[in-house]
Amino acid sequence: MVQSKKIFCDITRCIACRTCEIACAVEHSITKDLFLGMLERPRPKKRAFVFFLERDVSRSTACQHCEEPPCMEACMSGCISKDEKTGKVDIDRSRCVGCWMCIMVCPFGIISRDITDKNKALKCDLCPDRESPACVDACPTKTLAYESRDEFLKRIKQAKKVYAHSHKK
Amino acid sequence: MPTHIKNNIYAIIGNSAAGLAAIESIRRVDQSSRIVNISNQPQRPYSRCLLSYYLAGQYDKDILWIRPEDYYKKYDTEVLLNTAVTGADIKNKTLEISGKKKISFDKLLIATGASAKFLNIKGADKKGVFVLRTLEDADGILRMLPNVKNACILGGGLIGLRAAYALKRRGVAVHVIVKSEHIFSQMLDAEAADIMRQHLEVNGIEISTGLEAAEISGKDSVDGVILDDGNRLDCQLIIIGKGVAANLGIVKGQVKADMGILADERLETDRKDIYAAGDAAQAYDVLEEKNNVNQIWPAAIRQGKIAGLNMAGEEIKYEGSYGTNSLDFFDLAVMSFGVVKPKGGGFEELIALDAKRRLYRKIVVKGERIVGGVLINDVERHGILLHLALQKIDISDIKDILADEYFDFGKVIPLIKRQTNLFIRPEYKDTCVTYSPLY
Ligand SMILES: Cc1cc2nc3c(=O)[nH]c(=O)nc-3n(C[C@H](O)[C@H](O)[C@H](O)COP(=O)(O)OP(=O)(O)OC[C@H]3O[C@@H](n4cnc5c(N)ncnc54)[C@H](O)[C@@H]3O)c2cc1C
């Protein structure tokens, strides 16, 4: 089985600039423009969040598109599905009634209530109009990557090696 | 993928949350056996949780159908709708269905759910007295509505207040009569209940606590309710929301049952090849730490799924159930899980209240582990806390910030590093691969 892609974050590179949050909101606006987007009503909303782990240590976090999504099991209108091929977990807004059962069981706390726009649950949709999610493309420090778990782990291992090497001398 | 062709007959009684989840999980691992789904409801699968939204007129009937029309074809399942199972012979593995026909099975799932409790007081048989459990109930209420100015809701739980909210949105004057001192006495602590009560009252729903209906008055149809303090309220419609009771009738005396059919770690009953899931079942509650019925949608789905896999020959252990719920009235959200009103010693309550902004957070801790919580308004963190509780994570390192306004998932990551084995989901590990704490 091909491993599905999702957004991975390299905590060592995150400087908490929140560019990901802004790029996310802009991508989900109507005008797709930062300044015009600010004037839109309902206001465009972010689905990625910069969380602090400790002082000066942060990461950008959005929906993890879980292998066994609790939100999907809890959804009482059956509006959450997981694509068998891509692994993406999606909310069908037309069927969401805003009961928040998904929020109730999300282990990461990254689903929001879109109360200014028809009371629907809101979360990362991996930017369906783009090849790679807006947050990943916008990240100035290359903290975020859209890849499979294996690719991510391999890349991180590699990076650690290079880093250790350059510090030995 | 099937390792070998199986040749079972799976009988599943009930086509709601638990029954459907079982069909879907069986088909994941067994594409060859027969599945027979029997339900006494005439409709294709619908979500009864959405009935109050339909009743409120917020959504059309279409919202109720939670599975596509070709569902049974897709899952290669024979379906008998509008067909009641009237008896079960567990020993000989046959079911008796309405019309006296018999169905044989190899494995049986009892996903018969629960029924709304009725109220046995004088006049309760009059026209205009309803419960809210089925689509027929909701449609019956809707048919009455043109002639209803005032409605009384008997019961201050989830269903009662959801019904009250729905009727209010329809322009009906609603009065809720609650026996307990507080509304949501099962789901919320007194503080949270008071905040919600005030919010509901401000929005025009009348609530009386500490009172009970003594008699329902009227000729053929309801024209009022007489309370146990002697007062009388005019109303043309009454909805009873006094909780639910598991549907155990067809297997009574044949499988072990308490408030629900007792299901073990594999969701099997005390009889081999007979499984139970959903509102009909009673399993181990990991937060209350005792056998318990948790008659909620997520538990029904999870139990149905695990039961189905075990019926199909997998060996999957159920993590256990827990109570949790989510409500939203007039844009104020409230959620809770596990132990919300601790009794006895050893509990610690972390509380943050900002009455003006209607923010309330309470987390119940026992032995450095979270066992329950209540959140009003900023509910986004609810799932984080719930999973910390379910996985029995030692939270002593972050206890001082758990109820903090700025608590978020980031604060959990150091715990994942330190208690790696307790965090089960692979996604937890994904979030901290590149994190190396300094200490
Ligand atoms: C108005 C309302 C709001 C709710 N809101 C929430 C909520 O917000 N959150 C939440 O978690 N839960 C909620 N619930 C509870 C939730 O609906 C139940 O927990 C869930 O439906 C349980 O699913 P189940 O499959 O176990 O049983 P049920 O949904 O009760 O279904 C039982 C099935 O068995 C069939 N059946 C029963 N007896 C027989 C028989 N003898 N022969 C043949 N068929 C039979 C029935 O026809 C039905 O198809 C709500 C319920 C209601 C009524």
Side-chain angles (χ1 to χ4, degrees), chain A residues 37-148:
Chain A
M38 302 267 287
L39 302 174
E40 285 175 26
R41 294 294 179 274
R43 204 174 245 165
K45 284 163 212 87
K46 62 176 182 186
R47 299 119 193 263
F49 305 87
V50 172
F51 291 150
F52 278 85
L53 285 66
E54 51 182 279
R55 178 182 243 158
D56 295 334
V57 182
S58 56
R59 60 162 287 136
S60 170
T61 309
C63 172
Q64 296 295 304
H65 300 274
C66 293
E67 282 170 16
E68 215 180 359
C71 57
M72 191 167 114
E73 289 183 11
C75 177
M76 60 194 209
S77 72
C79 77
I80 303 184
S81 59
K82 183 171 175 70
D83 190 305
E84 300 268 332
K85 280 209 195 79
T86 64
K88 180 174 153 187
V89 176
D90 236 335
I91 299 180
D92 174 358
R93 272 180 79 89
S94 71
R95 290 194 47 85
C96 173
V97 301
C99 70
W100 319 132
M101 299 291 277
C102 51
I103 293 178
M104 185 176 85
V105 299
C106 173
F108 306 97
I110 44 65
I111 310 178
S112 338
R113 286 181 290 156
D114 196 354
I115 31 187
T116 58
D117 190 11
K118 303 197 182 82
N119 226 33
K120 309 278 178 185
L122 196 72
K123 69 164 198 71
C124 166
D125 57 0
L126 294 172
C127 293
D129 299 344
R130 307 172 60 103
E131 215 152 273
S132 125
C135 56
V136 173
D137 291 348
C139 177
T141 59
K142 297 204 164 35
T143 292
L144 297 175
Y146 182 51
E147 58 197 354
S148 71

Side-chain angles (χ1 to χ4, degrees), chain A residues 6 8-12 50-55 57 59 61 64-70 72-79 82 84 93-115 118-120 149 152-153 156 160, chain B residues 28 47 49-50 53 58-59 62-67 162 296-298 301-302 305-306 319 322 324-328 331-333 335-336 377-384 386-387 408-411 413-414 425-428 430-439:
Chain A
K6 63 176 197 176
F8 284 92
C9 175
D10 180 351
I11 295 173
T12 60
V50 172
F51 291 150
F52 278 85
L53 285 66
E54 51 182 279
R55 178 182 243 158
V57 182
R59 60 162 287 136
T61 309
Q64 296 295 304
H65 300 274
C66 293
E67 282 170 16
E68 215 180 359
M72 191 167 114
E73 289 183 11
C75 177
M76 60 194 209
S77 72
C79 77
K82 183 171 175 70
E84 300 268 332
R93 272 180 79 89
S94 71
R95 290 194 47 85
C96 173
V97 301
C99 70
W100 319 132
M101 299 291 277
C102 51
I103 293 178
M104 185 176 85
V105 299
C106 173
F108 306 97
I110 44 65
I111 310 178
S112 338
R113 286 181 290 156
D114 196 354
I115 31 187
K118 303 197 182 82
N119 226 33
K120 309 278 178 185
R149 181 176 290 140
F152 171 67
L153 292 175
I156 293 302
K160 269 188 186 154
Chain B
R28 260 176 185 271
S47 173
C49 304
L50 304 184
Y53 296 80
Q58 288 168 284
Y59 294 91
D62 277 348
I63 196 77
L64 302 174
W65 314 120
I66 40 168
R67 294 293 184 271
R162 280 251 179 89
I296 54 171
W297 188 266
I301 295 278
R302 186 79 193 157
K305 185 175 176 177
I306 307 271
E319 315 80 344
Y322 52 91
T324 183
N325 235 312
S326 157
L327 293 167
D328 186 324
D331 294 332
L332 187 61
M335 290 179 193
S336 77
N377 227 338
D378 51 6
V379 291
E380 274 74 11
R381 72 183 66 194
H382 186 277
I384 304 175
L386 171 67
H387 287 277
D408 60 36
F409 178 69
K411 317 300 177 283
I413 296 175
R425 295 175 174 277
E427 292 80 14
Y428 277 121
D430 292 344
T431 64
C432 64
V433 172
T434 51
Y435 172 52
S436 16
L438 291 172
Y439 39 89

Side-chain angles (χ1 to χ4, degrees), chain B residues 31-187:
Chain B
Q31 285 87 22
S32 54
S33 295
R34 267 180 74 197
I35 304 179
V36 187
N37 188 201
I38 311 143
S39 177
N40 59 9
Q41 81 180 41
Q43 307 89 353
R44 66 185 235 239
Y46 69 91
S47 173
R48 64 186 77 258
C49 304
L50 304 184
L51 289 174
S52 71
Y53 296 80
Y54 165 60
L55 185 61
Q58 288 168 284
Y59 294 91
D60 293 335
K61 203 176 234 171
D62 277 348
I63 196 77
L64 302 174
W65 314 120
I66 40 168
R67 294 293 184 271
E69 260 176 292
D70 61 354
Y71 176 78
Y72 285 109
K73 213 175 127 200
K74 198 174 148 209
Y75 284 93
D76 189 15
T77 295
E78 298 157 47
V79 61
L80 299 168
L81 295 176
N82 214 356
T83 307
V85 174
T86 47
D89 182 345
I90 301 293
K91 212 170 131 214
N92 296 309
K93 292 194 170 174
T94 52
L95 296 175
E96 180 194 279
I97 59 173
S98 37
K100 297 254 174 344
K101 271 210 321 223
K102 292 240 154 89
I103 291 179
S104 313
F105 60 83
D106 297 302
K107 317 235 172 183
L108 172 69
L109 178 67
I110 306 160
T112 48
S115 300
K117 287 185 193 157
F118 207 68
L119 204 57
N120 285 320
I121 55 171
K122 211 175 143 202
D125 54 346
K126 291 191 199 308
K127 223 179 126 215
V129 183
F130 288 90
V131 293
L132 181 57
R133 181 74 192 176
T134 63
L135 183 51
E136 287 76 5
D137 295 330
D139 278 333
I141 297 168
L142 282 174
R143 273 194 299 274
M144 295 271 306
L145 276 193
N147 306 315
V148 175
K149 263 177 65 189
N150 303 281
C152 265
I153 311 289
L154 309 181
L158 178 136
I159 306 278
L161 281 153
R162 280 251 179 89
Y165 179 66
L167 293 177
K168 183 71 198 164
R169 289 190 65 124
R170 288 275 184 183
V172 175
V174 188
H175 200 133
V176 185
I177 311 297
V178 189
K179 186 179 168 190
S180 329
E181 285 308 312
H182 297 278
I183 57 171
F184 302 124
S185 59
Q186 303 272 327
M187 173 185 168

